[in-house]
Amino acid sequence: MSETLSNGILEVTYVVSSVMFIFGLKMLSHPDTARRGNFIAATGMMLAIIATILFHHKEGKPIGNIGWIISAMVIGTAIGWVIAKRVKMTAMPQLVSFFNGMGGAAAALISMMEFPHVSPELIARSGMANGHVLAILLGLMIGTISWAGSMIAFGKLDGWIGDLRVKTMRYVNITLLAVLIGFIIYIMTRHVVASKELMPLIYIMFGVAAIYGILFVMPIGGADMPVVISLLNSFTGVAAAMGGFLYHNQVMLTGGILVGSAGTILTILMCKAMNRSLLNVIAGVFGGGGKGAETTGTIKEITLADAAILLSYSRKVVIVPGYGLAVAQAQHICHELDKLLEEKGVEIKYAIHPVAGRMPGHMNVLLAEADVPYEKLVESDEINKELPDTDVVVVIGANDVVNPAAEDDPSSPIYGMPIVRAREAKNIIVMKRGMGKGYAAIENPLFYHDKTRMLFGDAKITLQNLVAEIKKL
Ligand code: NAP
């Protein structure tokens, strides 16, 4: 096949793949279409990879190392398949962080590999100061930050890396960022015969970017990780887009830009939801740092029988799902409870906090899995207006997202974060296993509130018993 024909097929396939990415992404915006959207985008990526292997030419020659490429793809696919099959729903955020980190690492490796091959003609024409070199350096910096940061985020979400907060961290981070930009300026203003001469600087730049990535995520704790995860996601997209510029590869560029812009939009929405400024995230000085005030008071419990009566004779009930619902995998029985109460004439809504659970949209995904109608899910801002008029709020495995300290206690690390104002309802039932803390590791005064009664136990078992109790009435 002639090179012109191969190039034509490749260009058309890239356009088709790009369109599939865009449609796929659009379909992710609703639970009903999300699964198909994911499949379409993944198929688009597969098409682009196969077409590149079959039709890409460099300097008149087809792509080489086919055996290596296919072996790497087979091994990668097998590992990805096994991990994705085995991962528990609650460990999904860690997995997303890990995969995101791999994307960043791939972008950084491309840059490290391509830098020594910057063509001598290009260097002779404009020294190192050209777009090609800039794309390599930005890909290296952003990809490495994303890789190192995502690995730390992975460890933190998995619970084996704790927060490290030192007051001077902000200045260290800003200095490191300035050093990285300094490296880019320095390298781009050099006049060298071959780019290889500057390789030691590239390795140092990689090291500094990795340290920045680590230090940038280390202090972030409390309830603020979601913002960082989506920010790192957008970094990986931008780093991949740099690869697209580098290789004049449209599909890599489109994919990178889509991930970068979707991640950026999500970051901004998350910042709004958490009431944080993006500047503070980048400087790594998130989440206050205080421990919050001591909480005192008495805990009151409610029996299953009393809870069943209270719920059955209510006019309006709002369910606040949280991470514990996902841990207990209680979404199906929770939906059964809501249907049962609805049959008794009770109005049921779900309060969806933007950072409930451990990943953006976690509660939406979980409840969609149990076929809870989408119309019943109401965002926290909206549901808050209805809570004074709500007979019972049932908090199921949620903690930080209903913690009034976010509004009342300036020393709390979650101070300023918008919450579901559960305490404004007439009655509050909280289902959790014990007095365990939430992700932010702080006390929750809601559990000691006059109107609150606790139903201790695993959420799934408690809900099963509650449903049985209501059926007896
Ligand atoms: P949370 O504050 O983490 O609290 C979850 C509660 O569930 C715990 O207090 C725990 O108490 C209870 N629990 C655990 N297993 C349970 C089970 N089997 N049955 C019943 N209860 C169980 O959850 P949240 O209110 O959903 O808040 C999410 C937190 O994670 C926020 O701080 C958020 O910022 C952070 N985060 C969110 C994301 C995201 O993108 N959504 C990402 C990373 C971090 P017991 O141990 O006493 O049962």
Side-chain angles (χ1 to χ4, degrees), residues 190-221:
R190 287 314 85 195
H191 291 279
V192 289
V193 179
S195 55
K196 270 190 191 138
E197 290 173 36
L198 297 170
M199 257 336 257
L201 290 182
I202 291 293
Y203 292 130
I204 299 173
M205 201 179 146
F206 169 75
V208 175
I211 295 170
Y212 175 75
I214 294 169
L215 294 187
F216 155 60
V217 181
M218 276 314 281
I220 297 162

Side-chain angles (χ1 to χ4, degrees), residues 8 16 38 41 137 247 249-250 325-326 341 349 377 383 388 410 445 473:
V16 172
N38 197 24
L137 296 176
Y247 296 128
N249 184 316
Q250 294 85 331
L325 184 88
L341 291 175
K349 287 187 179 170
L377 314 190
I383 204 77
L473 292 176

Side-chain angles (χ1 to χ4, degrees), residues 58-135:
K58 196 179 176 198
E59 288 149 16
K61 280 189 256 153
I63 218 164
N65 297 325
I66 299 281
W68 283 105
I69 294 172
I70 294 184
S71 309
M73 280 175 70
V74 169
I75 296 170
T77 307
I79 295 174
W81 183 280
V82 172
I83 295 179
K85 277 277 175 203
R86 286 198 179 164
V87 71
K88 284 195 191 137
M89 191 66 185
T90 45
M92 210 53 137
Q94 290 92 302
L95 186 69
V96 170
S97 260
F98 184 79
F99 284 169
N100 186 54
M102 292 300 106
L109 284 177
I110 287 177
S111 292
M112 298 238 267
M113 218 178 61
E114 289 300 328
F115 188 81
H117 296 123
V118 175
S119 73
E121 300 89 70
L122 205 63
I123 298 174
R125 223 181 310 140
S126 53
M128 298 302 282
N130 57 66
H132 191 80
V133 173
L134 184 62

Side-chain angles (χ1 to χ4, degrees), residues 110-426:
I110 287 177
S111 292
M112 298 238 267
M113 218 178 61
E114 289 300 328
F115 188 81
H117 296 123
V118 175
S119 73
E121 300 89 70
L122 205 63
I123 298 174
R125 223 181 310 140
S126 53
M128 298 302 282
N130 57 66
H132 191 80
V133 173
L134 184 62
I136 293 179
L137 296 176
L138 287 178
L140 174 68
M141 177 177 111
I142 302 169
T144 309
I145 293 172
S146 180
W147 163 67
S150 298
M151 290 303 112
I152 297 296
F154 167 67
K156 284 186 152 207
L157 289 170
D158 218 33
W160 44 272
I161 297 183
D163 301 345
L164 175 76
R165 281 205 191 97
V166 184
K167 276 212 167 112
T168 47
M169 201 87 121
R170 168 182 223 162
Y171 305 105
V172 175
N173 282 345
I174 291 172
T175 310
L176 288 175
L177 208 55
V179 168
L180 286 170
I181 294 167
F183 264 107
I184 295 181
I185 296 171
Y186 182 80
I187 292 173
M188 291 200 64
T189 48
R190 287 314 85 195
H191 291 279
V192 289
V193 179
S195 55
K196 270 190 191 138
E197 290 173 36
L198 297 170
M199 257 336 257
L201 290 182
I202 291 293
Y203 292 130
I204 299 173
M205 201 179 146
F206 169 75
V208 175
I211 295 170
Y212 175 75
I214 294 169
L215 294 187
F216 155 60
V217 181
M218 276 314 281
I220 297 162
D224 302 326
M225 282 306 280
V227 183
V228 178
I229 294 166
S230 56
L231 187 66
L232 290 170
N233 200 221
S234 69
F235 284 178
T236 298
V238 175
M242 291 303 149
F245 280 123
L246 206 58
Y247 296 128
H248 302 288
N249 184 316
Q250 294 85 331
V251 82
M252 217 169 157
L253 197 58
T254 319
I257 289 172
L258 286 176
V259 174
S261 48
T264 307
I265 293 170
L266 190 61
T267 309
I268 293 167
L269 291 176
M270 284 282 168
C271 276
K272 269 198 191 148
M274 308 290 293
N275 206 9
R276 307 290 192 202
S277 91
L278 189 57
L279 208 68
N280 271 0
V281 188
I282 294 169
V285 283
F286 227 13
K291 286 227 174 299
E294 284 283 307
T295 306
T296 48
T298 43
I299 293 286
K300 294 176 289 305
E301 291 188 48
I302 186 169
T303 61
L304 276 172
D306 286 347
I309 293 171
L310 181 61
L311 288 169
S312 299
Y313 294 101
S314 292
R315 199 181 34 83
K316 183 170 180 176
V317 169
V318 170
I319 296 173
V320 189
Y323 177 63
L325 184 88
V327 176
Q329 284 295 290
Q331 62 274 27
H332 295 279
I333 186 73
C334 180
H335 185 33
E336 207 175 316
L337 171 77
D338 102 46
K339 284 190 287 188
L340 194 61
L341 291 175
E342 249 176 9
E343 280 165 21
K344 290 179 177 287
V346 184
E347 186 193 350
I348 304 277
K349 287 187 179 170
Y350 286 81
I352 305 297
H353 191 281
V355 298
R358 289 291 182 273
M359 62 179 169
H362 199 166
M363 293 302 117
N364 299 65
V365 175
L366 205 65
L367 296 172
E369 200 187 310
D371 290 326
V372 174
Y374 204 50
E375 309 75 65
K376 279 194 190 170
L377 314 190
V378 186
E379 291 200 2
S380 33
D381 290 355
E382 284 305 307
I383 204 77
N384 279 342
K385 295 177 201 153
E386 299 183 27
L387 290 177
D389 186 34
T390 298
D391 298 306
V392 192
V393 155
V394 187
V395 177
I396 310 180
N399 192 337
D400 295 343
V401 301
V402 289
N403 191 338
E407 292 186 333
D408 302 342
D409 177 8
S411 73
S412 170
I414 62 165
Y415 185 66
M417 176 179 106
I419 50 161
V420 176
R421 292 204 184 105
R423 64 176 161 175
E424 298 205 344
K426 292 173 192 150

